[in-house]
């Protein structure tokens, strides 16, 4: 089941791409992407300036005060 802010008793505050966000406690990178409607998109994620490998999205927990940067891959030529 996806986490949602409405089901969380005490959201934690983080920063995503420079904007404040409240997320459920015990939220992973994958949960955050789902909450932001970015599931299935090709993205790169950094938590506190450290790149998170895609293989670790489901296990990498986000904590209050973390700074997360999400970059979406775009094609071009």
């Amino acid at each position: 089941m996806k986490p949602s802010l409405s089901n969380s008793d005490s959201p934690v505050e983080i920063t995503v791409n420079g904007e404040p966000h409240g997320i459920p406690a015990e939220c992973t990178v994958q949960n955050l992407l789902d909450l932001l409607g970015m599931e299935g998109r090709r993205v790169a994620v950094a938590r506190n300036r450290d790149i998170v490998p895609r293989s670790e999205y489901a296990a990498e927990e986000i904590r209050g005060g973390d700074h997360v940067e999400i970059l979406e891959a775009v094609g071009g030529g």
Side-chain angles (χ1 to χ4, degrees):
M1 181 160 122
K2 284 185 188 179
S4 75
L5 290 177
S6 60
N7 292 337
S8 177
D9 292 332
S10 55
V12 294
E13 294 296 319
I14 65 168
T15 302
V16 179
N17 293 350
E19 298 290 326
H21 284 268
I23 61 167
E26 301 181 21
C27 187
T28 65
V29 168
Q30 186 61 59
N31 296 144
L32 176 63
L33 293 174
D34 293 346
L35 285 169
L36 296 174
M38 300 185 83
E39 66 275 353
R41 293 190 188 173
R42 293 181 53 192
V43 297
V45 178
R47 184 176 70 84
N48 300 325
R49 303 185 105 187
D50 292 325
I51 299 295
V52 179
R54 183 179 306 276
S55 62
E56 295 179 20
Y57 284 3
E60 184 76 18
E61 191 173 315
I62 300 171
R63 294 178 180 86
D66 280 355
H67 291 267
V68 178
E69 295 295 326
I70 303 171
L71 301 174
E72 190 166 9
V74 280

